[in-house]
């Protein structure tokens, strides 16, 4: 009897769906929308204060170039996979995964707007949402497949490393392989949102913490 073949890609389908959304939107941007995509769907603090709200979400699917889109797609796949597995692959878990991803991205953009009030800076890319996935994945890695507490020492150490990396980017003013300035503020905001929202999102997905182990009663013989 022939042995069953393992699938080439073992990534959960919600994470693969997000990769497809990032790359598919970039293809639409390049071949259909052109440079007009930045003006129509990018996010800016000035536009937000003038009443523009669509950019909070649409900017997550517009990228500054192929490298930018590819890096975010790779991040969504790598860090979205453990998050998708935790939330579950049924429709409920997938819906929570999508809502969590978008919420982290929107909060990252809002934080950027608060830090740059009224400025006509154009922000594009899924990095804020991807860093939200990194936040959840940090807690999952520290918890051995389950969500570790926020103040777990491993969570704190890895969080300091991710935030420190973005502060280095802030000092340098650029990141290797990317053109233009990097919105490190949105990265950190998305990461912190991911850390904080991972618990409520897991609860909405129906993930329950394991029951504490009962101590074994000893008896004298």
């Amino acid at each position: 009897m022939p042995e069953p073949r393992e699938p080439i890609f073992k990534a959960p389908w919600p994470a693969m769906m997000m990769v497809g959304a990032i790359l598919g939107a970039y293809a639409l941007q390049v071949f259909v929308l052109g440079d007009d995509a930045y003006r129509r769907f990018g996010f800016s603090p000035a536009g937000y204060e003038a009443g523009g709200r669509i950019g909070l979400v649409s900017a997550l699917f517009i990228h500054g170039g192929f490298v930018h889109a590819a890096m975010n797609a790779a991040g969504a796949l790598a860090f979205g996979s453990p998050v998708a597995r935790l939330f579950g692959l049924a429709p409920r878990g997938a819906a929570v995964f999508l809502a969590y991803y978008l919420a982290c991205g929107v909060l990252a953009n809002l934080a950027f707007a608060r830090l740059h009030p009224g400025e006509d800076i154009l922000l594009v890319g899924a990095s804020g949402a991807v860093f939200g996935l990194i936040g959840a994945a940090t807690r999952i890695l520290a918890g051995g497949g389950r969500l570790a507490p926020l103040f777990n020492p491993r969570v704190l150490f890895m969080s300091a490393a991710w935030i420190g990396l973005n502060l280095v980017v802030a000092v340098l003013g650029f990141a290797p392989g990317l053109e233009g300035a990097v919105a490190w503020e949105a990265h950190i905001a998305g990461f912190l949102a991911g850390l904080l929202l991972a618990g409520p999102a897991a609860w909405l997905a129906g993930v329950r913490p394991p029951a504490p182990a009962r101590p074994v009663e000893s008896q004298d013989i």
Side-chain angles (χ1 to χ4, degrees):
M1 183 177 179
E3 296 182 359
R5 295 183 178 182
E6 291 288 334
I8 297 177
F9 295 105
K10 295 184 178 181
W13 71 266
M16 292 295 295
M17 176 185 66
M18 197 52 58
V19 171
I22 292 172
L23 296 180
Y26 180 69
L28 180 66
Q29 171 189 337
V30 171
F31 297 110
V32 178
L33 299 174
D35 291 340
D36 192 45
Y38 298 112
R39 181 184 60 82
R40 292 175 59 187
F41 300 110
F43 175 78
S44 73
Y48 174 74
E49 292 182 11
R53 297 292 184 266
I54 187 174
L56 284 170
V57 175
S58 62
L60 302 176
F61 299 95
I62 302 297
H63 288 84
F66 176 74
V67 173
H68 189 202
M71 289 180 64
N72 278 330
L77 180 62
F79 298 102
S81 292
V83 180
R85 291 191 183 100
L86 177 72
F87 292 168
L89 306 185
R92 177 180 177 181
V96 171
F97 177 84
L98 175 60
Y100 172 85
Y101 176 89
L102 294 177
C104 290
V106 167
L107 289 173
N109 288 342
L110 282 174
F112 186 86
R114 295 301 183 189
L115 293 171
H116 299 274
E119 295 187 28
D120 192 18
I121 305 173
L122 193 63
L123 187 66
V124 295
S127 302
V130 170
F131 266 92
L133 296 176
I134 294 175
T138 295
R139 293 182 61 181
I140 294 169
L141 179 61
R146 295 184 178 275
L147 282 181
L150 276 171
F151 296 104
N152 177 285
R154 293 188 67 192
V155 172
L156 294 176
F157 176 78
M158 287 188 284
S159 297
W162 281 113
I163 293 173
L165 176 64
N166 278 284
L167 292 178
V168 170
V169 170
V171 172
L172 294 177
F174 71 96
L178 296 179
E179 298 180 2
V182 176
W184 57 271
E185 307 97 324
H187 293 180
I188 293 177
F191 178 81
L192 294 176
L195 283 176
L196 295 172
L197 293 180
W203 182 84
L204 287 173
V207 179
R208 299 293 180 262
R214 294 182 179 179
V216 178
E217 297 181 0
S218 58
Q219 294 182 349
D220 295 331
I221 299 178

